Amino acid sequence: MNLSADLVVLSACSTASGNMTNNGEVRSLGYAFQVAGAKSVLMSQWPVDDKSTSILMNKFYQKLKSGLSKSDALRAAKLEFVEETDPALSNPFYWAPFVIYGDNSAIENQSKFPNILLLLIGFLIALALLIA
């Protein structure tokens, strides 16, 4: 499969978790997207809170759209989240599970940006259907 996405965002619970192979590689949902052709994947390492994830992802997309690299956008979003959000949500449990694997460059062609959102929405709908 040739997904050819600059970035896939998996903002659901534990999307970086998976099975360990004999050579020490973790095969997770994020790994599957990279094998399918995604240049980079943002995923979570443990269960996430819906409210804090929504706030953090909105900040991340704003930073990413401003031209920052993927990791710089995530870092800036996390810092802003801790500074501006309810102090009860400043615990790392609420903002630290998200990591980016793969290509770290900024997304140059902003016209691709809506495609990332569509891919995320499609994934969340598919996930909801699987759970239901």
Side-chain angles (χ1 to χ4, degrees), residues 34-87:
Q34 285 186 306
V35 168
K39 292 180 184 173
S40 55
V41 180
L42 184 147
M43 52 192 143
S44 66
Q45 299 180 84
W46 58 77
V48 295
D49 174 71
D50 289 338
K51 179 182 176 185
S52 60
T53 297
S54 174
I55 295 167
L56 183 64
M57 288 300 112
N58 281 323
K59 291 180 182 305
F60 170 71
Y61 291 130
Q62 290 170 358
K63 304 297 182 190
L64 192 63
K65 194 171 182 180
S66 75
L68 292 177
S69 70
K70 296 169 189 115
S71 63
D72 286 343
L74 183 59
R75 179 181 180 275
K78 287 177 177 182
L79 288 171
E80 189 175 298
F81 177 87
V82 170
E83 291 171 1
E84 296 179 359
T85 310
D86 176 3

Coordinates of all heavy atoms in Angstrom, one line a residue, residues 34-87:
Q34 N 3.1 3.3 9.1 CA 4.4 3.6 8.5 C 4.7 2.5 7.4 O 5.2 2.9 6.4 CB 5.5 3.6 9.6 CG 5.5 4.8 10.4 CD 6.6 5.0 11.4 OE1 6.9 4.0 12.2 NE2 7.3 6.1 11.3
V35 N 4.4 1.3 7.7 CA 4.6 0.3 6.6 C 3.8 0.6 5.4 O 4.2 0.4 4.3 CB 4.3 -1.1 7.2 CG1 4.2 -2.2 6.1 CG2 5.4 -1.5 8.2
A36 N 2.6 1.1 5.7 CA 1.6 1.5 4.6 C 2.1 2.7 3.8 O 1.5 3.1 2.8 CB 0.2 1.7 5.1
G37 N 3.1 3.4 4.3 CA 3.6 4.5 3.5 C 3.6 5.9 4.2 O 4.0 6.9 3.6
A38 N 3.1 6.0 5.4 CA 3.0 7.3 6.1 C 4.5 7.7 6.4 O 5.2 6.9 6.9 CB 2.2 7.2 7.3
K39 N 4.8 8.9 6.1 CA 6.2 9.4 6.4 C 6.4 9.6 7.9 O 7.5 9.4 8.4 CB 6.4 10.8 5.7 CG 6.5 10.7 4.2 CD 6.7 12.0 3.6 CE 6.6 11.9 2.1 NZ 6.7 13.2 1.5
S40 N 5.4 9.9 8.6 CA 5.5 10.0 10.1 C 4.1 9.8 10.7 O 3.1 9.9 10.1 CB 6.0 11.4 10.5 OG 5.2 12.4 10.0
V41 N 4.2 9.4 12.0 CA 3.0 9.0 12.7 C 3.1 9.6 14.1 O 4.1 9.5 14.8 CB 2.8 7.5 12.9 CG1 1.5 7.2 13.6 CG2 2.8 6.8 11.5
L42 N 2.0 10.3 14.5 CA 1.9 10.8 15.9 C 0.9 9.8 16.6 O -0.1 9.5 16.1 CB 1.2 12.2 15.9 CG 1.1 12.9 17.3 CD1 1.3 14.4 17.2 CD2 -0.2 12.6 18.0
M43 N 1.4 9.3 17.7 CA 0.6 8.3 18.4 C 0.8 8.4 19.9 O 1.7 9.2 20.4 CB 1.0 6.9 17.9 CG 2.4 6.6 18.0 SD 2.8 5.1 17.0 CE 4.3 5.5 16.3
S44 N 0.0 7.7 20.7 CA 0.0 7.8 22.1 C 0.5 6.5 22.7 O 0.3 5.4 22.2 CB -1.4 8.1 22.7 OG -2.3 7.0 22.4
Q45 N 1.2 6.7 23.9 CA 1.9 5.6 24.5 C 1.0 4.9 25.6 O 1.4 3.9 26.1 CB 3.2 6.0 25.1 CG 4.2 6.5 24.0 CD 5.5 6.9 24.6 OE1 6.4 6.1 24.8 NE2 5.6 8.2 24.9
W46 N 0.0 5.6 26.0 CA -0.9 5.0 27.0 C -2.3 5.6 26.9 O -2.5 6.5 26.0 CB -0.4 5.3 28.5 CG -0.2 6.7 28.9 CD1 -1.1 7.6 29.2 CD2 1.1 7.4 29.0 NE1 -0.5 8.8 29.6 CE2 0.9 8.7 29.4 CE3 2.4 7.0 28.8 CZ2 1.9 9.6 29.7 CZ3 3.4 7.9 29.0 CH2 3.2 9.2 29.4
P47 N -3.3 5.1 27.6 CA -4.7 5.7 27.5 C -4.7 7.2 27.7 O -4.0 7.7 28.6 CB -5.5 4.9 28.6 CG -4.7 3.7 28.8 CD -3.3 4.0 28.6
V48 N -5.5 7.9 26.9 CA -5.5 9.3 27.0 C -6.9 9.8 27.4 O -7.9 9.2 27.2 CB -5.1 9.9 25.6 CG1 -3.7 9.6 25.3 CG2 -6.1 9.5 24.5
D49 N -6.9 11.0 28.0 CA -8.1 11.7 28.4 C -8.7 12.5 27.2 O -8.0 13.2 26.5 CB -7.8 12.7 29.5 CG -8.9 13.6 29.9 OD1 -9.9 13.0 30.5 OD2 -8.9 14.8 29.6
D50 N -10.0 12.3 26.9 CA -10.6 13.0 25.8 C -10.5 14.5 25.7 O -10.2 15.1 24.7 CB -12.1 12.6 25.7 CG -12.4 11.2 25.3 OD1 -11.5 10.5 24.7 OD2 -13.5 10.6 25.6
K51 N -10.8 15.1 26.9 CA -10.8 16.6 26.9 C -9.4 17.1 26.7 O -9.2 18.0 25.8 CB -11.3 17.1 28.3 CG -11.3 18.6 28.4 CD -11.8 19.0 29.8 CE -11.7 20.5 30.0 NZ -12.0 20.9 31.3
S52 N -8.4 16.6 27.4 CA -7.0 17.1 27.2 C -6.5 16.8 25.9 O -5.8 17.6 25.3 CB -6.1 16.6 28.3 OG -6.1 15.2 28.3
T53 N -6.8 15.6 25.3 CA -6.4 15.3 24.0 C -6.9 16.2 22.9 O -6.2 16.7 22.0 CB -6.7 13.8 23.6 OG1 -6.1 13.0 24.6 CG2 -6.4 13.5 22.2
S54 N -8.2 16.6 23.1 CA -8.8 17.5 22.1 C -8.1 18.9 22.2 O -7.8 19.5 21.1 CB -10.3 17.7 22.4 OG -10.9 18.7 21.7
I55 N -7.9 19.4 23.3 CA -7.2 20.7 23.5 C -5.8 20.6 22.9 O -5.3 21.5 22.1 CB -7.1 21.1 25.0 CG1 -8.5 21.3 25.5 CG2 -6.3 22.3 25.2 CD1 -8.6 21.4 27.0
L56 N -5.0 19.5 23.3 CA -3.7 19.4 22.8 C -3.6 19.3 21.3 O -2.7 19.9 20.6 CB -3.0 18.2 23.5 CG -1.5 18.0 23.1 CD1 -0.7 19.1 23.6 CD2 -1.0 16.7 23.7
M57 N -4.5 18.5 20.7 CA -4.4 18.3 19.3 C -4.8 19.6 18.5 O -4.2 19.9 17.5 CB -5.4 17.1 18.8 CG -4.9 15.7 19.2 SD -3.3 15.3 18.5 CE -2.3 15.2 19.9
N58 N -5.7 20.3 19.0 CA -6.0 21.6 18.4 C -4.8 22.5 18.4 O -4.4 23.2 17.4 CB -7.2 22.3 19.1 CG -8.5 21.8 18.6 OD1 -8.7 21.4 17.5 ND2 -9.4 21.7 19.6
K59 N -4.1 22.6 19.5 CA -2.8 23.4 19.6 C -1.8 22.8 18.7 O -1.1 23.6 18.0 CB -2.3 23.4 21.1 CG -3.2 24.1 22.0 CD -2.7 24.1 23.4 CE -3.6 24.9 24.4 NZ -3.9 26.2 24.1
F60 N -1.6 21.5 18.6 CA -0.7 20.9 17.7 C -0.9 21.3 16.3 O 0.0 21.7 15.5 CB -0.7 19.4 17.9 CG 0.1 18.6 16.9 CD1 1.5 18.7 16.9 CD2 -0.5 17.9 15.9 CE1 2.2 18.0 15.9 CE2 0.2 17.2 14.9 CZ 1.6 17.2 14.9
Y61 N -2.2 21.2 15.8 CA -2.5 21.5 14.4 C -2.2 23.0 14.1 O -1.8 23.3 13.1 CB -4.0 21.2 14.1 CG -4.3 19.7 14.1 CD1 -5.4 19.2 14.8 CD2 -3.5 18.8 13.3 CE1 -5.6 17.8 14.8 CE2 -3.8 17.5 13.3 CZ -4.8 17.0 14.0 OH -5.1 15.6 14.0
Q62 N -2.5 23.8 15.1 CA -2.2 25.3 14.9 C -0.7 25.5 14.7 O -0.3 26.2 13.8 CB -2.7 26.1 16.1 CG -4.2 26.2 16.2 CD -4.6 26.8 17.6 OE1 -3.8 27.1 18.4 NE2 -5.9 27.0 17.7
K63 N 0.1 24.8 15.6 CA 1.5 25.0 15.5 C 2.1 24.4 14.2 O 3.0 24.9 13.5 CB 2.2 24.3 16.7 CG 1.8 24.8 18.0 CD 2.1 26.3 18.2 CE 1.6 26.7 19.6 NZ 1.7 28.1 19.8
L64 N 1.5 23.2 13.8 CA 2.0 22.6 12.6 C 1.6 23.4 11.4 O 2.4 23.6 10.5 CB 1.3 21.2 12.5 CG 1.8 20.2 11.4 CD1 3.2 19.9 11.7 CD2 0.9 19.0 11.4
K65 N 0.4 24.0 11.4 CA 0.0 24.9 10.3 C 0.8 26.1 10.2 O 1.0 26.7 9.1 CB -1.5 25.2 10.4 CG -2.1 25.8 9.2 CD -3.6 25.9 9.3 CE -4.2 26.4 8.0 NZ -5.6 26.5 8.1
S66 N 1.4 26.6 11.3 CA 2.3 27.8 11.3 C 3.6 27.5 10.6 O 4.4 28.5 10.5 CB 2.4 28.3 12.7 OG 3.3 27.6 13.4
G67 N 3.9 26.3 10.3 CA 5.2 26.0 9.6 C 6.3 25.3 10.5 O 7.4 25.0 10.0
L68 N 6.0 25.0 11.7 CA 6.9 24.3 12.6 C 7.1 22.9 12.1 O 6.2 22.3 11.5 CB 6.5 24.3 14.0 CG 6.5 25.6 14.8 CD1 5.9 25.5 16.2 CD2 7.8 26.3 14.8
S69 N 8.3 22.3 12.4 CA 8.4 20.9 12.2 C 7.5 20.1 13.1 O 6.9 20.6 14.0 CB 9.9 20.4 12.5 OG 10.1 20.5 13.9
K70 N 7.3 18.8 12.7 CA 6.3 18.0 13.5 C 6.6 17.9 15.0 O 5.8 18.2 15.8 CB 6.2 16.6 12.9 CG 5.6 16.7 11.5 CD 5.7 15.4 10.8 CE 5.4 15.5 9.3 NZ 6.5 15.3 8.4
S71 N 7.9 17.6 15.3 CA 8.3 17.5 16.7 C 8.2 18.9 17.4 O 7.9 19.0 18.6 CB 9.6 16.8 16.9 OG 10.6 17.6 16.3
D72 N 8.7 19.9 16.7 CA 8.6 21.3 17.3 C 7.2 21.7 17.6 O 6.9 22.3 18.6 CB 9.3 22.3 16.4 CG 10.8 22.2 16.5 OD1 11.3 21.5 17.4 OD2 11.5 22.7 15.6
A73 N 6.3 21.4 16.6 CA 4.9 21.7 16.8 C 4.3 20.9 18.0 O 3.5 21.5 18.8 CB 4.1 21.3 15.5
L74 N 4.6 19.7 18.2 CA 4.2 18.9 19.3 C 4.7 19.5 20.6 O 4.0 19.6 21.6 CB 4.5 17.4 19.2 CG 4.0 16.5 20.3 CD1 2.5 16.6 20.4 CD2 4.5 15.1 20.0
R75 N 6.0 19.8 20.6 CA 6.6 20.3 21.8 C 6.0 21.7 22.2 O 5.6 21.9 23.4 CB 8.1 20.5 21.6 CG 8.8 21.1 22.8 CD 10.3 21.4 22.5 NE 11.0 21.9 23.6 CZ 11.1 23.2 23.9 NH1 10.5 24.1 23.1 NH2 11.7 23.7 25.0
A76 N 5.8 22.6 21.2 CA 5.2 23.9 21.5 C 3.8 23.7 22.0 O 3.3 24.4 22.9 CB 5.2 24.7 20.2
A77 N 3.0 22.8 21.4 CA 1.6 22.5 21.8 C 1.6 22.0 23.3 O 0.8 22.4 24.1 CB 1.0 21.5 20.9
K78 N 2.5 21.1 23.6 CA 2.6 20.6 25.0 C 2.9 21.7 26.0 O 2.3 21.8 27.1 CB 3.6 19.5 25.1 CG 3.2 18.2 24.5 CD 4.3 17.1 24.6 CE 3.9 15.8 24.0 NZ 4.9 14.8 24.1
L79 N 3.9 22.6 25.7 CA 4.3 23.7 26.5 C 3.1 24.6 26.7 O 2.8 25.1 27.8 CB 5.5 24.4 26.0 CG 6.8 23.7 26.1 CD1 7.9 24.4 25.3 CD2 7.2 23.4 27.5
E80 N 2.4 25.0 25.6 CA 1.3 25.9 25.7 C 0.2 25.3 26.5 O -0.5 25.9 27.3 CB 0.8 26.2 24.3 CG -0.2 27.3 24.2 CD -0.5 27.7 22.8 OE1 0.4 28.2 22.1 OE2 -1.7 27.6 22.4
F81 N -0.1 24.0 26.3 CA -1.1 23.3 27.0 C -0.9 23.4 28.5 O -1.8 23.7 29.3 CB -1.1 21.8 26.6 CG -2.1 20.9 27.3 CD1 -3.4 20.8 26.9 CD2 -1.7 20.2 28.5 CE1 -4.3 20.0 27.6 CE2 -2.6 19.4 29.2 CZ -3.9 19.3 28.7
V82 N 0.4 23.1 29.0 CA 0.7 23.1 30.4 C 0.5 24.6 31.0 O 0.0 24.7 32.1 CB 2.1 22.6 30.7 CG1 2.6 22.8 32.1 CG2 2.2 21.1 30.3
E83 N 1.0 25.6 30.2 CA 0.9 26.9 30.6 C -0.5 27.5 30.7 O -0.8 28.3 31.6 CB 1.7 27.8 29.7 CG 3.2 27.6 29.9 CD 4.0 28.3 28.8 OE1 3.5 29.0 28.0 OE2 5.3 28.2 28.8
E84 N -1.4 27.1 29.8 CA -2.7 27.8 29.6 C -3.9 27.0 30.1 O -5.0 27.5 30.2 CB -2.9 28.1 28.1 CG -1.9 29.1 27.6 CD -2.1 29.5 26.1 OE1 -3.1 28.9 25.5 OE2 -1.4 30.3 25.6
T85 N -3.7 25.7 30.3 CA -4.8 24.8 30.7 C -5.0 24.8 32.2 O -4.1 25.1 32.9 CB -4.6 23.4 30.1 OG1 -4.3 23.6 28.7 CG2 -5.8 22.6 30.1
D86 N -6.2 24.3 32.6 CA -6.5 24.1 34.0 C -5.3 23.4 34.7 O -4.8 22.4 34.2 CB -7.8 23.2 34.0 CG -8.2 22.8 35.4 OD1 -7.5 23.3 36.4 OD2 -9.2 22.1 35.6
P87 N -4.9 23.9 35.8 CA -3.7 23.3 36.5 C -3.9 21.8 36.8 O -2.9 21.1 36.9 CB -3.6 24.1 37.8 CG -4.2 25.4 37.5 CD -5.3 25.1 36.5

